[in-house]
Amino acid sequence: MQNEVPTETAPLPRPAHRALAAGLCGMLLLVWLLDLESSDGIRDVHGAWIAPLVSGALASALLAVPDRYLPLHHRSWIAAIGSLALTATMLLTTGAAATWGALESVCLLILLCQTCRRIRVPMVAIALTAAVISGPLRTYDWNPDQLTSVLSFSFLLTFAAGGVIGLGCYLRVLDARRARAVRAVREGERLELARDLHDFVAHHVTGIVVQANAARAVRETAPERIDAILADIHDAGVETLDSMRRLVHVLREADGRPRRQGELFGELAALVSDFCTADQQFATLAVAASARGARLAPEVETSVLRVVQEALTNARRHAPGTVVTVEVDLTGDRLRVEVRNTAPARSPAPPVGGRGGFGVVGLHERVSAVDGTMEAGATPDGGWRIAADFPVLGVADSAR
């Protein structure tokens, strides 16, 4: 069985996707109406004009079937074999010139493009190409004088099929390039998390060693305190193992700036302040009192900073002059971080290096690595919003 190539393509925004689908449906309907118009001259001769109209509608239906119900290579084989069988039947049994079926040819070309883009070993592309090229034979009534005209149309369709094959292969290369870029971004995020692993583990292990020495010191003088010290050692060990469980699969790079634990909200304030100073934009930071009392794993703290930093960077590049709001709150047992910016007053100039970066992809990878969830998208007023939820280890009683 031919497997489809796994690709990671940037999804179109929902309005653009709907507009593209509506435009394609309108184009296919127009081609079908042209087929209907071209059959006027032979409707009184025989009924063969009906078959291409029906086959065109069926080919359009195959285009609309989602892959989860019928995979692409199955739909392509059905279209190719059905088209070739219809061409052979009309050529051998009609006895008079029949209609061609331009809608069917257009649908076959679209399937051919998708096949060359997504199928690993596109043997079905040969069948689809043959079906497209042989379509004009349906108009042949075994008159030698008409053979040149039929072959001319088939020759032109050969160029069309070749162009579509080239387009599909080009899109396949772009998909593979983007997939490699996404993997590189994800790997970079994993490596960045791994760079902090040494500092996280060193912090916890140092605390364990200190408490173990304290237990030895009070073993003779205050044995009743040993149980509490051992409980603290146990908790610190569990947190250390939890951090290593999330990050041990990542190799640590030598470079990287260590970050001190427990200074999350101070660093968030510094990020927002630097953003306002450097870019002459207005940004606010609102941290709920309950959030300040939340106890976070070290890797969660760095992930929170990374989300806010990436959101501010996106606002700087894509929405200059807007108002940015950073909110941190505690909802249940989850820390919620939300960054919003208003709609820009004018469309900004394309950023240096172009658009289409993978910052959001990297954020998804980083947030997922610490058992968090994230969503990003446009707001109803034309702005942008990034929201992420992170697990907390506990909440101070004074913050409840």
Side-chain angles (χ1 to χ4, degrees):
M1 184 177 68
Q2 297 169 340
N3 296 321
E4 295 186 20
V5 177
T7 58
E8 296 197 47
T9 57
L12 290 174
R14 190 178 299 273
H17 186 273
R18 291 176 177 174
L20 183 61
L24 178 61
C25 292
M27 183 197 72
L28 295 180
L29 178 60
L30 179 61
V31 175
W32 188 83
L33 292 176
L34 292 176
D35 279 343
L36 184 64
E37 179 68 22
S38 64
S39 65
D40 284 342
I42 61 171
R43 291 182 185 178
D44 296 334
V45 179
H46 51 76
W49 61 274
I50 300 177
L53 295 177
V54 175
S55 65
L58 293 177
S60 300
L62 285 176
L63 284 179
V65 175
D67 283 345
R68 63 179 180 271
Y69 297 127
L70 191 62
L72 174 62
H73 63 277
H74 289 164
R75 290 185 282 129
S76 298
W77 274 118
I78 292 173
I81 294 175
S83 178
L84 289 171
L86 180 60
T87 299
T89 301
M90 294 180 65
L91 181 63
L92 297 177
T93 62
T94 297
T99 56
W100 173 353
L103 175 60
E104 180 184 334
S105 296
V106 170
C107 294
L108 291 176
L109 287 172
I110 295 175
L111 284 173
L112 178 59
C113 181
Q114 294 179 345
T115 297
C116 293
R117 181 182 185 180
R118 294 168 50 188
I119 302 298
R120 281 196 175 93
V121 186
M123 297 300 296
V124 66
I126 299 175
L128 286 171
T129 303
V132 171
I133 296 174
S134 63
L137 292 177
R138 299 175 184 178
T139 64
Y140 185 54
D141 60 355
W142 301 100
N143 183 356
D145 297 334
Q146 193 185 11
L147 182 61
T148 302
S149 176
V150 172
L151 294 179
S152 297
F153 282 113
S154 295
F155 185 70
L156 292 176
L157 285 176
T158 302
F159 283 99
V164 166
I165 291 173
L167 176 61
C169 293
Y170 173 71
L171 294 176
R172 182 171 180 163
V173 171
L174 291 184
D175 291 342
R177 185 179 302 170
R178 179 177 177 83
R180 288 194 299 269
V182 169
R183 286 195 297 269
V185 169
R186 288 176 173 172
E187 185 64 19
E189 290 295 334
R190 295 188 184 105
L191 293 177
E192 187 176 345
L193 282 171
R195 281 195 293 265
D196 296 324
L197 179 59
H198 174 270
D199 303 308
F200 298 159
V201 174
H203 170 80
H204 289 302
V205 171
T206 300
I208 291 174
V209 171
V210 171
Q211 294 179 75
N213 289 332
R216 294 177 60 186
V218 302
R219 180 177 53 187
E220 300 295 339
T221 59
E224 69 278 1
R225 296 176 55 189
I226 291 183
D227 287 341
I229 295 175
L230 291 177
D232 292 338
I233 292 175
H234 173 269
D235 294 340
V238 169
E239 291 183 16
T240 303
L241 290 175
D242 191 52
S243 296
M244 293 182 64
R245 176 184 62 82
R246 295 189 181 104
L247 305 174
V248 73
H249 66 284
V250 184
L251 296 176
R252 183 183 187 275
E253 284 187 345
D255 59 333
R257 179 177 63 87
R259 177 175 290 114
R260 297 179 60 185
Q261 184 186 4
E263 299 181 354
L264 170 63
F265 302 110
E267 295 197 31
L268 284 178
L271 279 177
V272 174
S273 177
D274 292 343
F275 173 77
C276 297
T277 303
D279 301 294
Q280 296 182 350
Q281 294 192 197
F282 184 73
T284 60
L285 172 64
V287 181
S290 58
R292 293 185 181 275
R295 191 162 57 93
L296 305 175
E299 62 272 17
V300 171
E301 290 189 1
T302 58
S303 298
V304 171
L305 286 171
R306 182 71 175 86
V307 168
V308 175
Q309 184 181 42
E310 180 65 26
L312 294 177
T313 300
N314 287 340
R316 177 188 301 117
R317 297 185 70 210
H318 305 295
T322 60
V323 176
V324 182
T325 302
V326 181
E327 295 180 352
V328 183
D329 198 357
L330 190 68
T331 57
D333 58 348
R334 307 283 289 185
L335 184 76
R336 183 168 183 82
V337 181
E338 184 171 326
V339 184
R340 300 188 307 273
N341 63 265
T342 58
R346 55 182 177 82
S347 299
V352 177
R355 301 182 184 272
F358 300 96
V360 175
V361 175
L363 284 185
H364 275 290
E365 183 66 24
R366 171 177 280 272
V367 173
S368 298
V370 296
D371 296 334
T373 60
M374 195 193 88
E375 57 183 9
T379 58
D381 62 353
W384 190 261
R385 168 180 171 271
I386 293 179
D389 291 329
F390 298 93
V392 299
L393 300 178
V395 183
D397 293 336
S398 59
R400 294 182 183 275

